[in-house]
Each structure stands twice: as structure tokens, then as C-alpha cells.
Amino acid sequence: QVQLVESGGGLVQAGGSLRLSCLASGRTFSRYALSWFRQAPGKEREFVAAISGSGGIRKHADSVKGRLTISRDNARNTVYLQMSSLKPGDTAIYYCAARTTYGSPWSGEYEFWGQGTQVTVSS
């Protein structure tokens, strides 16, 4: 079992930056691949980025490449999403999710989810 708690969301102006964190419980954090998803009002949950258990492999959705970057610190049981050059279209609730295998962009394939953190980008 993995419990995930996101933090770091907030209100930011367009062009600004935020760093989201997701703290995981448990001693086997490095065995899990982690991903970030987001869900805007009235829209489906959308894949943002994924990172392997070791952190050596990662990928990002085309819509966020070059602006949002996933990373992890296994010593701190934490995965991050560094967000820069934010746009109003990035406004959403951001969720971290865990599964034992890397890289799926399909939310239905993830076993464990955090409660989400709201990011609002004003124009």
C-alpha cells in the first residue's frame, strides 16, 4: 500500500512558476513508478508526466514539454512537478499516482492516488 499526499498548489500569474510535491508513505517507494495527472473543470483527467522507480526514465505529455518537469527523490519518498511558464490552460487539480510498472498514460491503470492539489493560473 502507498499513501500519497500532494502539496504546493496555489494561485499564480501567467508566466509564473510553482513546484508541486507528492509525499509517499511506506518503505518501498523506489519500487513504484509515479505519475502526475491533472483534471480541469468539465474535462477528463489528463496525463502530465511519468517517472520510473529509479528516476532514470521519464516522459512528459506534449502539451507540457519544456515547461513542466517531473523528478523524484527516493531518499525523501517524494516526487516533484516543477512548473514554469505557466498558462491559464494549466489550471486544474493536479494528482500524483503510483503503480508498480512505469509509464502508462491511462489513469485507470493506477492503483494509488493522492487527494489532489489545486493550481490556478490567472491571465
Side-chain angles (χ1 to χ4, degrees):
Q1 290 284 337
V2 177
Q3 292 184 326
L4 304 170
V5 179
E6 301 96 335
S7 62
L11 174 64
V12 63
Q13 289 188 332
S17 299
L18 281 174
R19 188 176 77 160
L20 306 184
S21 300
C22 176
L23 177 64
S25 64
R27 300 179 180 179
T28 59
F29 180 68
S30 62
R31 295 175 59 183
Y32 289 89
L34 276 293
S35 292
W36 286 96
F37 288 81
R38 66 186 182 185
Q39 189 165 17
K43 295 188 177 181
E44 294 186 354
R45 196 164 293 190
E46 173 189 27
F47 171 80
V48 175
I51 191 165
S52 63
S54 68
I57 306 171
R58 56 187 182 181
K59 63 180 179 182
H60 300 80
D62 288 343
S63 60
V64 306
K65 278 182 182 175
R67 301 186 303 112
L68 277 58
T69 303
I70 192 170
S71 63
R72 67 190 293 163
D73 183 342
N74 285 346
R76 298 179 184 271
N77 276 22
T78 303
V79 62
Y80 302 99
L81 187 67
Q82 181 66 49
M83 312 170 73
S84 60
S85 301
L86 284 163
K87 306 175 182 179
D90 294 317
T91 295
I93 299 174
Y94 283 72
Y95 299 91
C96 66
R99 67 192 298 257
T100 52
T101 53
Y102 164 75
S104 172
W106 310 114
S107 60
E109 295 184 357
Y110 284 77
E111 302 167 73
F112 307 104
W113 290 85
Q115 83 290 348
T117 186
Q118 175 72 48
V119 172
T120 303
V121 184
S122 63
S123 57

